[in-house]
């Protein structure tokens, strides 16, 4: 499936893009904050610094084609429309087919930079996101589409327009291949979850439930088809483990016997990781962000922890105030951030410099200006 529009280039034309600007200092594969046009930076990383297939995770929160101007006020609270005292952080004025091609060009370079185990998360809204879904199917392959994640962004509001209130945006999650990095995420059980799922309590007050000791599939000759306490598994089934292991579990008090003499394994709530993370996430926006559309760092830490490994390179080429970079830094990943906005770069630098975790006191990052105006700065964080 393909989205057709008038100004659409071929992939070959896009990948031949030749930037007119260059890095002010060499890229050394350190943690790097790059100021400048992200298409140029992506091209340079791919073609001049051999970064193809080096990035394990990309998260981007690009403009949403809103036709708005986003500003940073004097007190660092972000605003949508600028007053005379505000600084314009960025303008979101690329619309329609031009916007689709603007983003498509960058996504094609992103695909080339992603490792074979890499993933990309693209944060977008409901007005334009369904067009972007088709473009991402085309670039990354519909077979590599993982999730359309709903992100709850705010509390319910009483809109006056004749439509349901909008409290969510979406994150499109794709992988480069069928075998991406995946660290299974879990949510902690709520009190309600424990009451519903673990309805029994032992003599020590620990909540638990029970599960069968057998599983489908008959084993005639194997040990799991043998007797446990004189009992054989039901017809067409086998013990989940050997009778010898079941004896050990029973001696430890981990098997519960029904009044009819049916054994079941005890599963305690406090020994479980939690419940598997689903595709609706409640990571609301900050009430007083320091930068327009700044995202909750817990959202980014969740994505980084799930889809990268320690020492993986994480990239955000619409990095804004640097939340993705801070999340990657805190979790021991390497990172590359790119943004054209002077205000974004300034705030990102401040965030990184002010990180208080002593584990990272010796870490440094490179600041690279794509326009060649600045010299390299190694900044301790």
């Amino acid at each position: 499936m393909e989205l057709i529009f008038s100004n659409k280039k071929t992939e070959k034309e896009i990948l031949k893009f030749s930037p007119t600007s260059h890095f002010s200092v060499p890229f050394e594969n350190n943690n790097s904050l790059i100021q400048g046009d992200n298409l140029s930076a992506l091209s340079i990383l791919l073609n001049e610094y051999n970064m193809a297939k080096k990035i394990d995770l990309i998260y981007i929160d690009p403009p949403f084609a809103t036709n708005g101007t986003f500003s940073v006020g004097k007190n660092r609270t972000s605003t949508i429309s600028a007053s005379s005292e505000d600084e314009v952080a960025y303008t979101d004025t690329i619309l329609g087919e031009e916007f689709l091609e603007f983003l498509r060009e960058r996504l094609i370079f992103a695909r080339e930079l992603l490792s074979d185990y890499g993933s990309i998360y693209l944060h977008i809204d409901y007005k334009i996101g369904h067009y972007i879904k088709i473009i991402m199917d085309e670039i990354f392959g519909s077979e590599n589409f993982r999730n359309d994640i709903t992100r709850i962004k705010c509390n319910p509001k009483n809109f006056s327009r004749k439509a349901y209130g909008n409290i969510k945006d979406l994150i499109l999650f794709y992988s480069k291949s069928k075998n991406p990095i995946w660290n299974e995420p879990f949510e902690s059980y709520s009190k309600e979850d424990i009451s519903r799922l673990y309805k029994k309590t032992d003599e020590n007050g620990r909540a638990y439930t029970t599960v069968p000791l057998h599983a489908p599939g008959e084993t005639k000759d194997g040990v799991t088809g043998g007797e446990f306490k004189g009992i054989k598994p039901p017809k067409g089934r086998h013990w989940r483990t050997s009778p010898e292991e079941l004896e050990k579990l029973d001696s430890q008090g981990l098997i519960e016997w029904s009044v009819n003499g049916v054994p079941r394994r005890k599963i305690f709530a406090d020994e479980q990781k939690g419940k598997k993370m689903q595709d609706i996430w409640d990571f609301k926006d900050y009430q007083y962000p320091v930068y327009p559309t700044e995202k909750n760092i817990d959202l980014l830490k969740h994505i980084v922890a799930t889809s990268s490994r320690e020492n993986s390179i994480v990239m955000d080429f619409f990095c804004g105030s640097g939340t993705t970079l801070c999340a990657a830094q805190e979790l021991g990943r390497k990172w590359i951030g790119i943004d054209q906005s002077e205000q974004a770069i300034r705030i990102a630098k401040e965030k990184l410099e002010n990180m208080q975790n002593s584990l990272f006191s010796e870490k440094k990052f490179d600041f690279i200006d794509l326009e060649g105006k600045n010299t390299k700065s190694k900044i301790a964080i």
Side-chain angles (χ1 to χ4, degrees), residues 349 352-355 360-365 377-381:
K349 278 185 177 181
L352 292 161
E353 291 167 1
N354 291 332
M355 289 185 72
F360 308 126
S361 60
E362 299 302 318
K363 295 278 187 178
K364 301 177 184 296
F365 68 88
S377 58
K378 292 272 194 176
I379 305 173
I381 60 175

Side-chain angles (χ1 to χ4, degrees), residues 24 26 158 227 231 362:
S24 55
N158 186 22
E227 290 189 356
I231 305 171
E362 299 302 318

Side-chain angles (χ1 to χ4, degrees), residues 34-38 89 106 317-320 338-345 371:
I34 302 169
Q35 181 174 352
D37 170 59
N38 54 13
R106 288 150 178 81
F317 52 87
F318 289 96
C319 73
I338 308 169
D339 208 288
Q340 195 160 20
S341 165
E342 291 185 8
Q343 289 73 25
I345 293 295
E371 304 302 324

Side-chain angles (χ1 to χ4, degrees), residues 199-236:
K199 297 181 178 179
K200 299 183 178 184
T201 306
D202 73 359
E203 63 276 9
N204 297 314
R206 296 175 70 197
Y208 74 97
T209 189
T210 61
V211 297
L213 290 176
H214 44 73
E218 191 167 4
T219 303
K220 294 182 179 179
D221 300 322
V223 293
T224 57
E227 290 189 356
F228 163 57
K229 299 287 189 184
I231 305 171
K232 296 200 74 171
K235 186 173 181 176

